[in-house]
Each structure stands twice: as structure tokens, then as C-alpha cells.
Amino acid sequence: MKIVLLLLLCATSLFGEKVIVMLGAPASGKGTHAKRISKELHLPHISTGDLLRENVKGETALGKEAKGYMDEGKLVPDALVQQMLFERIQKPDASEGYILDGFPRTIAQAEALEAYTKNAQVVAIDIEVPKEELLKRVAVRQKAEGRADDTQEVAKKRLEVYAEQTAPLIEYYKAKGQLHVIDGNRTVESVYKEIMGQL
Ligand code: AMP
């Protein structure tokens, strides 16, 4: 038992922290699964959308700058989001790794993350859901959570932004051999099982 623990410890320090990147369009279920994986693997769930919403609510300088972009379904500029994220992942609870939900969203962000986490073991999970299903889910979520950016008009804009700026990340992680594609158009339970099987 002691030897196994020792080997595990060596492996962690050798390969660095575990970074799980949740890709997938708005309402693909990445947040739901990220939360569950976080509990199961004891790694913090870090959602840049949640961090930004906290800043908006707290009326911080970052929140004030980010709000306009978020309300329109556009991406907040890379530099702002990166600074916020890198501050978060320096906290001690993230030293063994973390689950990223909503970051990276551009190739520039992915490159910045890569430079920042040189020895990390990175796994990217792409949850694929057809567009019509995503729009239905957004409508349901708006009733449940009342998110300002879940109106059909803003949701459509967010899907466009996803296709243009975030979907290229699928190729980016595929080329690095770090990508796992999951069919997200099934029950939450079967999607979750498949993700855990890949991790
Ligand atoms: P989410 O909760 O992940 O859907 O994010 C909500 C909104 O926050 C997005 O529509 C963007 O305006 C902003 N946002 C979240 N993460 C990022 C990111 N990595 N880069 C730029 N903007 C982001």
C-alpha cells in the first residue's frame, strides 16, 4: 500500500497537475459534468463564466468591464479572462489540478494556458450536442436560472461565437492527442459514465 502511494506521489510530481478542459457549446452540459467530476476526483471546478458573474455582481472593475460583452453574448477580451484565471489557479486547492469549464475559449487562451501549465497532464473533453437541442436547453435553463444571457437572441449569438472562436479548439487539442469526443445528446448519466471512462 505504501509503495503504491509513493508511486502515485512520484507520478503526480513527475507529470505535473491534472488539467481537465471541458469543451462544448453553451448548454452542452459541460458545467453539470464538470461539477460532478470535480467531486469525484477532488479537484476544484473552475468556471470562468461563474468567476465573471461574481465580478459583475460584486461590481468590481473587472465586472464592470466584462458586463457589456457578456450581455451581448460576446467573449470578454483574452487578457482580462486570462489574468482572472491565472490568479485562481495559483490558489493552493488547485495545486494537484483542476477542471476548467468555459476556458479556454480562443486559440490564444489555449496557448496562454499551455505556456502557463508546462508539465500538466491535459485532457480535453468535447461534449457534442446538435444546435436545435442546445437552443431548447437554453430556453429551459432560462426559466430555471434566469440567466441574463440565456434569451434566445443572446443564446444564438453565443452559439455563433462558439462556432467561430471556440470550436477551432477541438482541432487544437486533437492535434495534441489530448481530445476525447463525447456524444452529449443522451441521458446525463450515460454521458457522465463515458466521460469518467475516458479520464
Ligand atoms: P459561460 O457561463 O461559460 O457560458 O460564460 C458566460 C459568458 O462569460 C460568456 O458568454 C462570455 O461573455 C464570458 N466568458 C466566460 N468564459 C470566457 C472566456 N474563457 N473567454 C472570454 N469570455 C468568457
Side-chain angles (χ1 to χ4, degrees):
M1 187 64 188
K2 271 188 189 152
I3 293 175
V4 173
L5 276 175
L6 201 68
L7 282 175
L8 270 174
L9 271 174
C10 288
T12 317
S13 50
L14 211 62
F15 297 117
E17 70 273 31
K18 184 160 189 127
V19 178
I20 300 172
V21 174
M22 302 298 288
L23 297 173
S28 60
K30 60 185 176 351
T32 306
H33 291 295
K35 282 187 196 119
R36 252 178 107 172
I37 300 166
S38 157
K39 281 206 187 111
E40 185 138 349
L41 300 185
H42 305 286
L43 296 174
H45 164 220
I46 301 178
S47 152
T48 43
D50 284 351
L51 292 174
L52 287 167
R53 279 184 288 276
E54 276 166 29
N55 275 279
V56 170
K57 210 171 154 197
E59 296 181 3
T60 65
L62 168 63
K64 282 180 191 155
E65 202 159 346
K67 189 178 183 312
Y69 296 100
M70 295 170 77
D71 285 348
E72 286 181 36
K74 293 180 183 162
L75 293 185
V76 174
D78 289 336
L80 293 179
V81 184
Q82 279 162 210
Q83 196 193 344
M84 175 187 78
L85 179 82
F86 295 150
E87 270 172 32
R88 173 63 188 92
I89 61 182
Q90 272 170 36
K91 294 197 175 158
D93 67 334
S95 63
E96 301 280 299
Y98 39 86
I99 296 143
L100 290 179
D101 165 9
F103 189 97
R105 261 186 161 94
T106 61
I107 296 281
Q109 289 180 14
E111 286 170 349
L113 178 69
E114 199 180 344
Y116 199 88
T117 55
K118 283 213 176 71
N119 299 319
Q121 305 164 252
V122 178
V123 180
I125 303 281
D126 172 35
I127 307 180
E128 298 219 323
V129 176
K131 193 177 166 191
E132 307 72 52
E133 174 64 19
L134 291 170
L135 286 171
K136 273 192 222 156
R137 290 188 190 181
V138 167
V140 172
R141 186 167 72 182
Q142 204 201 9
K143 281 202 187 106
E145 297 174 24
R147 259 176 65 162
D149 60 355
D150 271 345
T151 59
Q152 288 286 297
E153 191 197 341
V154 179
K156 277 195 184 134
K157 176 71 192 168
R158 286 163 65 215
L159 287 178
E160 264 173 49
V161 167
Y162 176 81
E164 276 166 26
Q165 300 189 63
T166 309
L169 291 177
I170 295 168
E171 279 306 314
Y172 178 92
Y173 284 109
K174 192 174 171 187
K176 293 185 183 296
Q178 294 169 331
L179 182 76
H180 296 282
V181 179
I182 309 277
D183 171 9
N185 201 16
R186 296 173 298 161
T187 62
V188 175
E189 209 47 46
S190 50
V191 174
Y192 181 69
K193 275 203 187 117
E194 194 182 330
I195 295 176
M196 288 314 290
Q198 302 288 348
L199 290 175

